[in-house]
Amino acid sequence: MKTMIEMQKKLLPDLLDVLKQRYEVLRQLHLMQPVGRRSLAAALGMTERILRSEVEFLREQGLIRIETVGMKLSDAGSDLVAEMEPLMKDLFGLTDLEKRLATHLHLKRVIVVPGDSDQSDWVKKEMGRAVARILKSIAQPDQVVAVAGGTTLAAVAEMMTASSSLKETTFVPARGGLGEAVELEANTIASQMATKSGGKYQLLHVPDQLSDEARETLIKEPHIQEVVELVRSARIVVHGIGDAKAMAERRKSSPQLLAHLQQEGAVGEAFGYYFAPDGRIVYYGRSIGLTLEDLAGADNVITVAGGSDKAASIAAVCPAVGGGTLITDEGAARAILPM
Amino acid sequence: MKTMIEMQKKLLPDLLDVLKQRYEVLRQLHLMQPVGRRSLAAALGMTERILRSEVEFLREQGLIRIETVGMKLSDAGSDLVAEMEPLMKDLFGLTDLEKRLATHLHLKRVIVVPGDSDQSDWVKKEMGRAVARILKSIAQPDQVVAVAGGTTLAAVAEMMTASSSLKETTFVPARGGLGEAVELEANTIASQMATKSGGKYQLLHVPDQLSDEARETLIKEPHIQEVVELVRSARIVVHGIGDAKAMAERRKSSPQLLAHLQQEGAVGEAFGYYFAPDGRIVYYGRSIGLTLEDLAGADNVITVAGGSDKAASIAAVCPAVGGGTLITDEGAARAILPM
DNA sequence: ACCTCCGGGACTTTTTAAGTCCCATGTAGC
DNA sequence: GCTACATGGGACTTAAAAAGTCCCGGAGGT
């Protein structure tokens, strides 16, 4: 049986936000007391009015006392702050991880879901749900979302739910198919995400492994060119991160390439690029679709990858992809961060 | 350490209400699926619109699926319902107790706080907090609140917090002083409640034990008569329940009275009236202030008493006081109800 | 072919939260 | 003792969220 906390997160995630906010007010007040509304609001980074409402509430609950010199915690208030500390750590320990990861990897936003996808497979679904929520929240009319392939992205597609805000969204694959299991192909995932969310989609029916001439020929095809244009115009990109060795084998790469990758110490893969632990690109398997340069033009690059054994890959790829959003799990997050 | 829920309730008092509502929707949906909005709303006794908001939320959480035949629980949803069942029983066992007590004692409303004030003294404070909350919620401008004495009422006074809604409230003692410890006197409590809540107060400076002539004389005093008028006009009355024997001894009653009470089997006391287990009045120690008849004119009679050893007293007094509000604790509630 | 109940959209009303400005007062520093 | 500043609290406006209400096209069952 899951804990009470897990249930609350599912059934009242909105209330947990206000819980956190109120606790933060209490905690900050505890540190600064006695203090006035305005200085406290500034310290907490909230407007005066909103803090005022919280203060009013906390006063009615008898947790803080208001005096002419400022506000102070009442006895009940300081007791509560002390008692709640471990609970809040449980509830929002991940928030802390998120902040540290964001600064460590220079990302705009990091979301960490509890668990480790190496050990429990529902964790991948949780990451998927998180991605779905983000997509919903940043949705804009007539946007294009490019999605990559892989098991993690498949989980994302599975967790998409219908939403009116995604109705005018077009999902496209980021690159041509990988020539592997069809349910992990970007094409499949793009169409599944569109179906589940109520959006539209366009597919890119080209193989991944192509000779240069074949690629040049294909790319001139009008209907392919059209889709490629669409893909490269995507303002939102969702992709996973692969383990370099596993990806190379899945793509049936030549023994030479495998040896090269191993020699260079490649650990992570994304969009056909293979990365060394220091973020250096050690190989690029060209295909049709998004390139790293295109990512710079996207407003939202959403990276989703988890599992403690992918920690090195994530740490290698993220800096190269640029400071977007990372959705990962607790296992990977703790493995990435220096202790 | 108190339970985690107790702590959360301080920061989010309506947490349980929301949790319960959402759970009920899930549970009912589980029973009726597939079902439409309107029938589900009717079954739950809520309006269509409000259910609609809940449904929207639950769908976003991926707990329910919406199909053309109606709504169904998703796998995650049915898992959650199953997992939550025992938890909800724990959480709302008190709600259940409240309902049963209300019908058993023919009261309008019963609130049961967890614990037993015989065993832990913070339970009395919890009851006090509950009373304070009720007073706040039913507050009207220029109202008069009559309060009795006793240790329980002292706890209520202690837990009152400043509230704008009580600013125009006048607190008065229900009866003249008991001639006992000053901090348990109705006068003291009325003034303390007024001070803590930011309201006003009027006191009744007359002893409790008076000869008939002395009482008749006193009651003609203009300033006393004025307060008595105020007391009898109170639309809200808050009182506790005493153990008959203990009260009689505290009031230094004569050996004859003690014997009489014992012979008649008096168990409970309130407002100077002594009650037998069947609710019969076996003695009335007249004083100046509220009488049982005056209670009928009050809109809200709030009885607050707890502790398993007071169960008999509560059961005896409540019916006589008439169907108001009872605040008690788990210990008393379980002892009162037939098993 | 009809009839009923389904989800969803759209609009209005109501309630609640937030933004903004101002004031009397108490305290600290000079 | 006086000034300057930060304090809580009040009042009013504006914005946003929630709830009430009605209607529509369509799927399923009869």
Side-chain angles (χ1 to χ4, degrees):
Chain A
M1 187 179 93
K2 306 245 186 80
T3 135
M4 180 88 210
I5 294 182
E6 294 299 319
M7 283 172 194
Q8 292 193 20
K9 280 189 182 162
K10 282 193 183 140
L11 227 39
L12 7 115
D14 44 348
L15 291 192
L16 290 188
D17 291 343
V18 311
L19 179 69
K20 181 174 186 185
Q21 172 157 307
R22 290 184 180 160
Y23 175 75
E24 299 257 304
V25 171
L26 231 49
R27 197 172 53 94
Q28 194 68 23
L29 180 53
H30 177 63
L31 298 174
M32 299 175 68
Q33 64 181 329
V35 69
R37 253 189 293 136
R38 281 164 266 259
S39 357
L40 187 57
L44 285 162
M46 43 175 88
T47 70
E48 181 197 332
R49 192 59 181 79
I50 194 167
L51 178 126
R52 194 168 171 169
S53 312
E54 298 298 353
V55 160
E56 205 166 311
F57 168 85
L58 293 170
R59 184 183 57 85
E60 296 245 328
Q61 293 294 318
L63 296 172
I64 67 183
R65 241 190 350 255
I66 291 182
E67 304 176 4
T68 64
V69 293
M71 303 173 284
K72 293 182 183 175
L73 287 189
S74 72
D75 294 348
S78 20
D79 287 355
L80 189 65
V81 169
E83 283 173 353
M84 286 196 78
E85 202 189 318
L87 171 63
M88 297 307 282
K89 217 159 189 172
D90 269 6
L91 273 176
F92 303 109
L94 298 183
T95 318
D96 185 50
L97 270 186
E98 287 169 359
K99 279 192 196 141
R100 284 162 57 205
L101 255 191
T103 51
H104 186 247
L105 297 176
H106 303 99
L107 296 170
K108 196 169 64 184
R109 177 170 47 170
V110 174
I111 291 181
V112 177
V113 306
D116 188 332
S117 29
D118 281 355
Q119 289 160 26
S120 358
D121 40 351
W122 51 267
V123 176
K124 239 172 199 167
K125 294 191 181 178
E126 280 302 320
M127 288 196 288
R129 190 204 304 285
V131 174
R133 195 165 48 236
I134 289 182
L135 281 180
K136 242 181 284 185
S137 72
I138 62 176
Q140 285 180 344
D142 292 322
Q143 65 183 354
V144 177
V145 176
V147 298
T151 57
T152 312
L153 267 292
V156 174
E158 193 187 339
M159 298 311 289
M160 293 291 292
T161 54
S163 168
S164 51
S165 58
L166 292 178
K167 221 162 185 182
E168 295 304 316
T169 296
T170 305
F171 292 88
V172 294
R175 305 210 328 162
L178 293 180
E180 58 176 331
V182 79
E183 67 269 20
L184 302 182
E185 268 179 20
N187 269 334
T188 317
I189 288 170
S191 80
Q192 195 183 345
M193 285 179 75
T195 313
K196 286 242 182 186
S197 67
K200 299 171 290 190
Y201 64 92
Q202 292 268 354
L203 298 187
L204 201 50
H205 293 294
V206 298
D208 182 60
Q209 309 276 36
L210 279 177
S211 66
D212 286 1
E213 310 93 84
R215 188 169 56 245
E216 291 305 318
T217 317
L218 261 181
I219 216 167
K220 293 204 180 88
E221 287 290 313
H223 62 279
I224 291 200
Q225 199 166 5
E226 196 179 307
V227 179
V228 170
E229 282 303 312
L230 204 59
V231 169
R232 302 182 71 165
S233 77
R235 313 292 298 261
I236 299 179
V237 181
V238 186
H239 73 99
I241 290 180
D243 175 69
K245 185 147 174 279
M247 282 304 291
E249 283 169 353
R250 221 153 75 183
R251 284 178 179 156
K252 304 180 184 65
S253 310
S254 64
Q256 289 87 338
L257 177 52
L258 284 175
H260 171 70
L261 289 176
Q262 184 161 10
Q263 184 188 337
E264 293 280 349
V267 290
E269 186 276 348
F271 300 113
Y273 296 83
Y274 289 81
F275 298 87
D278 56 3
R280 198 166 31 92
I281 297 171
V282 295
Y283 177 75
Y284 173 34
R286 270 200 95 73
S287 176
I288 291 180
L290 273 186
T291 63
L292 263 191
E293 289 80 48
D294 294 326
L295 287 186
D299 297 327
N300 288 283
V301 180
I302 302 176
T303 307
V304 38
S308 45
D309 63 350
K310 266 198 188 161
S313 313
I314 297 171
V317 175
C318 271
V321 170
T325 303
L326 169 67
I327 286 87
T328 186
D329 60 20
E330 207 179 337
R334 295 197 191 281
I336 293 171
L337 282 171
M339 280 303 100
Chain B
M1 188 179 97
K2 309 237 187 86
T3 128
M4 163 180 151
I5 293 285
E6 293 300 319
M7 286 155 52
Q8 292 192 24
K9 261 165 85 172
K10 290 196 183 140
L11 286 184
L12 296 166
D14 47 359
L15 172 126
L16 284 191
D17 297 336
V18 180
L19 182 63
K20 186 174 186 183
Q21 169 154 306
R22 289 186 181 160
Y23 174 74
E24 296 266 308
V25 171
L26 274 182
R27 197 173 55 94
Q28 195 68 24
L29 180 53
H30 178 63
L31 298 174
M32 299 176 69
Q33 65 181 327
V35 69
R37 256 188 291 131
R38 282 163 265 261
S39 0
L40 187 57
L44 286 163
M46 46 175 84
T47 69
E48 181 197 331
R49 194 60 182 78
I50 193 167
L51 178 124
R52 196 168 170 168
S53 312
E54 296 297 352
V55 160
E56 205 166 312
F57 168 85
L58 294 170
R59 184 183 57 84
E60 296 248 325
Q61 293 295 316
L63 296 172
I64 69 182
R65 240 191 348 256
I66 292 183
E67 305 178 2
T68 64
V69 292
M71 303 173 283
K72 293 181 183 175
L73 287 188
S74 72
D75 293 347
S78 21
D79 287 355
L80 189 64
V81 168
E83 283 171 359
M84 287 195 72
E85 204 188 318
L87 274 181
M88 297 307 279
K89 214 160 190 174
D90 266 10
L91 279 178
F92 299 109
L94 297 183
T95 318
D96 186 51
L97 269 185
E98 287 170 357
K99 279 191 196 145
R100 286 161 60 204
L101 255 191
T103 52
H104 186 247
L105 296 177
H106 303 99
L107 295 171
K108 196 170 63 183
R109 177 171 45 168
V110 174
I111 291 180
V112 177
V113 305
D116 188 332
S117 28
D118 281 356
Q119 288 160 26
S120 357
D121 39 351
W122 52 267
V123 176
K124 238 172 201 168
K125 294 191 181 178
E126 278 304 318
M127 289 197 288
R129 188 202 306 282
V131 174
R133 194 166 46 235
I134 290 181
L135 280 180
K136 241 182 282 185
S137 72
I138 62 177
Q140 287 179 344
D142 291 323
Q143 65 183 353
V144 178
V145 175
V147 298
T151 58
T152 312
L153 268 291
V156 174
E158 194 187 338
M159 299 310 290
M160 294 291 292
T161 54
S163 169
S164 51
S165 57
L166 291 177
K167 217 159 188 186
E168 295 304 314
T169 297
T170 305
F171 292 88
V172 295
R175 305 206 332 157
L178 293 180
E180 57 177 330
V182 80
E183 68 269 21
L184 302 181
E185 268 179 21
N187 270 335
T188 317
I189 288 170
S191 79
Q192 194 183 347
M193 286 178 74
T195 312
K196 286 243 182 187
S197 67
K200 298 171 292 190
Y201 63 94
Q202 292 267 355
L203 299 187
L204 201 51
H205 293 295
V206 298
D208 182 59
Q209 309 272 36
L210 280 177
S211 67
D212 287 359
E213 310 95 81
R215 188 170 55 245
E216 291 304 320
T217 317
L218 261 181
I219 215 167
K220 289 199 183 92
E221 289 289 314
H223 61 276
I224 290 201
Q225 199 166 2
E226 194 180 309
V227 179
V228 170
E229 282 303 312
L230 203 62
V231 170
R232 303 182 70 165
S233 77
R235 313 291 300 261
I236 298 179
V237 181
V238 187
H239 72 98
I241 292 180
D243 174 69
K245 187 149 172 278
M247 283 304 291
E249 283 169 353
R250 220 152 76 181
R251 283 175 179 157
K252 305 181 184 61
S253 310
S254 65
Q256 290 88 337
L257 177 53
L258 283 174
H260 171 72
L261 289 175
Q262 183 161 16
Q263 184 188 337
E264 293 281 348
V267 290
E269 185 274 351
F271 300 112
Y273 296 83
Y274 289 82
F275 298 87
D278 56 2
R280 199 166 31 91
I281 296 171
V282 295
Y283 177 75
Y284 174 33
R286 270 200 95 72
S287 175
I288 290 179
L290 273 186
T291 63
L292 262 192
E293 290 79 47
D294 294 325
L295 286 187
D299 296 327
N300 289 282
V301 180
I302 301 175
T303 307
V304 38
S308 46
D309 63 350
K310 265 198 188 162
S313 314
I314 296 171
V317 175
C318 272
V321 169
T325 302
L326 170 67
I327 285 85
T328 185
D329 61 21
E330 206 180 338
R334 296 199 190 279
I336 293 171
L337 283 170
M339 281 301 102

